[in-house]
Amino acid sequence: MIEQAIVDWDETGTPRSRRFDDIYFSRGGGLDETRTVFLQGCGLPEAWRGRRRFVVGELGFGTGLNVLALLQLWQAAREPGARLHIFSVEAFPLDEADARRALAAWPELEPLAEILLAGWPAARGFHRIDFPGQGAVLDLAVMEAAEALEAWRGRADAWFLDGFSPSRNPEIWRDEVLALAAARSAQGARAASFTVAGTVRRGLEAQGFETAKRPGFGGKAERLEASLPGPIAHERRALPTVCIVGAGIAGAALARAFRAEGVEPVVLDARAPGAGASGNPAALVTPRLDAGGGTPAQLHAQAFARAVALYGQTLAEAVISRGALQLEIQPRDAPRFDRLAESDLFPEGALQRLNPAETGARLGEPADTGALWIRDALVLEPGPVLGGWLGPGGARTAAAAGLEPVRDGWRLLGQAGEALAEAEVVCIATGHAAGRLAPVAIEPVRGQASFAPWPERPTPAAWGGYVIPTRDGLLFGATHERGQDGAELRAGDHLHNLEVLARKRPRLAAALTAAPLDGRAAVRASTRDRLPAAGGLAGMPGVFVLTGLGGRGFCLAPLLAEHVAALALRLPSPLPRPLAEAVDPDRDGVRRLITPG
Ligand SMILES: Cc1cc2nc3c(=O)[nH]c(=O)nc-3n(C[C@H](O)[C@H](O)[C@H](O)COP(=O)(O)OP(=O)(O)OC[C@H]3O[C@@H](n4cnc5c(N)ncnc54)[C@H](O)[C@@H]3O)c2cc1C
Ligand SMILES: C[S@@+](CC[C@H](N)C(=O)[O-])C[C@H]1O[C@@H](n2cnc3c(N)ncnc32)[C@H](O)[C@@H]1O
């Protein structure tokens, strides 16, 4: 579990950190202090005049008061259609109840505070919270400041430097931290702080900031303003045109991510949305569970949290059920699941250990093992997910056979060499067929799921096999055939799926033996290291891929699509650098050197 802040409250209702023995904001004037020290200190709102994008970074998220004050000002004084990206860092988050209590002092912030509190982070890693009504997004890194800055790929136009006082909290003011903040600053960036401590001023000056003391707020004599030399960097180019090839969950998630940033993409599909692997009647959204806590575990935990938030916020009508059991299948699973239930990559209570009796009670028939209850897991109906995210335009029916560079981007070609579309940014999201358009090595993995109308709506459960509810019954399976790409239905595969079901749901499998089974076969896309491919391709500027989603496309695609859109639009990515590198399509074993013809 993460180390949470322990907060004491003084008689004025001001929160005080027990760890640092310092207050989060000044007694009686927190919001006014924020406005003077940070908003005015960074020259806001004047600094974002004429800007389509503005990026603010903060060291020391605390109660979120600074971020809310910033959002309130942005709401009142943003340029029409402009987007605000906020990045903030917190090593010791408050729990949601303490944050709520602290923020309750400012009823005028309540609507924004409610959005923030609804997404309040309770696990290690990067978390994204949307403020769609304000045209703003917050990426909050729950980790040490230096680690967070190393991992962040943005460039801030303004910095709020808001650790506790340097004498009580020297780590966050270290030269190394200030150097990282400077390295992640745009030309002409501003910085502001409540402290004028010599160490902070000298630290900033050593990184090229010019500093100035200004009259402080409240009882404080002085506050600090700083700026990097040079003119403020303005975007010269208009937003690019974007074409997405493939209308499965990868393509649909890309369409959503680009649209959220103000770009309306064109989507092409050789057949129709959901014609490939994304077209089953139901899909389970669960992370790959890896007790080691390494890169795949971090990627899946972050992607899972983002998927659950986005499906829940934007597509609640597509959610069939919530919660899923991951069943033990071998002796080592018990200690593995114990460790997972304690993992700091998930909020407390998100993964719960169940004994065999509790497992059986949820399954609806006796269980021979325990399980992990994945509280936030979803079962989705893919049709409305794809429809909702592709938008009213859906997808144009066109099969791309190649792409060639043109003056301002790329031209997509059809089978006979005819031009299908031209765009400055092209995203290849064609699942297992991605290697035909982009130089990536993707292995097909055929899979068949079985389904039937059924009176019982099973509790979602996975154990190698899986069973989940559909709108009118249940779905179970599935087969895995590496290297195979046929999509025909096979009677033998239904038998195999029934056998796998019988290992954990013998009564259900026996009852289904007499039922007429329907099914669907499709092809997953896998890579050699079993991690997705999401990002750009060296030597092909403007071409991006999102594929290799294996058996968890509905978990991985929403976050990875935001990463790809951020790279394409040169915005801060929600994905920390080590995870971005792990999914880079140019990595060994995935990038093919030859350009496909
Ligand atoms: C049996 C089975 C069960 C599964 N269950 C789950 C589950 O419960 N949960 C989960 O998260 N994942 C599940 N998966 C995996 C999941 O389906 C995939 O990870 C996901 O669908 C991949 O999405 P995609 O958009 O990358 O590819 P696809 O859905 O395959 O979409 C690719 C699209 O590209 C189009 N296309 C291909 N070539 C071209 C071209 N040249 N030009 C234009 N368009 C083209 C295709 O028509 C297709 O619509 C399952 C997979 C299988 C096979
Ligand atoms: C003064 S408070 C921030 C107040 C906050 N900006 C607000 O609006 O409420 C300082 C914050 O920095 C955090 N912090 C301290 N040291 C840190 C470190 N090394 N890395 C990341 N965060 C740290 C503290 O936990 C605390 O929440």
Side-chain angles (χ1 to χ4, degrees), residues 245-251 268-280 282-285 398-401 429-433 436-437 445-449 466 468 478-479 520-525 546-555:
V245 190
I249 187 60
L268 308 181
D269 196 284
R271 293 185 287 160
S278 307
N280 280 346
L284 179 63
V285 183
T430 50
H432 75 97
R436 293 192 203 135
L437 290 172
V445 183
R446 182 194 133 90
Q448 181 170 315
Y466 73 133
I468 56 177
T479 60
R520 191 168 182 280
V523 185
R524 307 174 187 90
L546 176 51
T547 181
L549 302 177
R552 296 191 197 265
F554 284 84
C555 174

Side-chain angles (χ1 to χ4, degrees), residues 200-423:
V200 173
R201 276 186 292 125
R202 285 191 295 278
L204 286 169
E205 284 160 9
Q207 299 307 324
F209 280 91
E210 289 162 11
T211 65
K213 293 179 186 174
R214 300 274 183 252
F217 176 85
K220 296 192 183 109
E222 293 173 313
R223 61 183 173 87
L224 190 68
E225 288 189 5
S227 58
L228 284 175
I232 287 163
H234 270 264
E235 317 88 342
R236 269 171 218 95
R237 284 155 32 98
L239 289 171
T241 50
V242 175
C243 181
I244 297 165
V245 190
I249 187 60
L254 282 165
R256 190 212 69 81
F258 277 106
R259 199 175 301 113
E261 293 297 343
V263 178
E264 190 58 48
V266 170
V267 186
L268 308 181
D269 196 284
R271 293 185 287 160
S278 307
N280 280 346
L284 179 63
V285 183
T286 49
R288 182 168 132 190
L289 294 171
D290 174 348
T295 300
Q298 291 168 28
L299 174 68
H300 276 263
Q302 188 185 344
F304 177 61
R306 188 63 180 145
V308 168
L310 279 177
Y311 293 129
Q313 281 161 18
T314 66
L315 295 164
E317 71 286 359
V319 175
I320 297 175
S321 74
R322 287 174 192 274
L325 292 162
Q326 184 72 38
L327 304 170
E328 291 170 21
I329 44 176
Q330 43 196 346
R332 71 184 170 92
D333 284 339
R336 197 165 74 85
F337 287 8
D338 289 344
R339 287 206 304 283
L340 279 162
E342 298 297 316
S343 166
D344 63 1
L345 295 175
F346 294 89
E348 200 173 344
L351 301 180
Q352 295 158 23
R353 283 297 270 137
L354 301 182
N355 63 32
E358 293 163 333
T359 304
R362 297 217 187 183
L363 266 185
E365 63 178 283
D368 54 358
T369 61
L372 201 57
W373 174 247
I374 308 174
R375 182 193 64 195
D376 302 328
L378 299 175
V379 176
L380 297 174
E381 189 182 3
V385 172
L386 302 184
W389 282 0
L390 288 169
R396 221 175 82 198
T397 308
L403 69 167
E404 63 179 17
V406 290
R407 206 170 73 89
D408 285 327
W410 296 87
R411 179 178 296 140
L412 283 149
L413 304 171
Q415 300 289 351
E418 76 281 19
L420 299 176
E422 271 183 28

Side-chain angles (χ1 to χ4, degrees), residues 24 58 60-63 65-66 90-92 144-145 162 164 169 172:
Y24 280 84
E58 179 185 49
F61 176 71
T63 65
L65 174 63
N66 289 349
E90 179 54 63
F92 312 102
E144 268 291 317
D162 197 16
F164 288 117
N169 186 193
I172 202 170

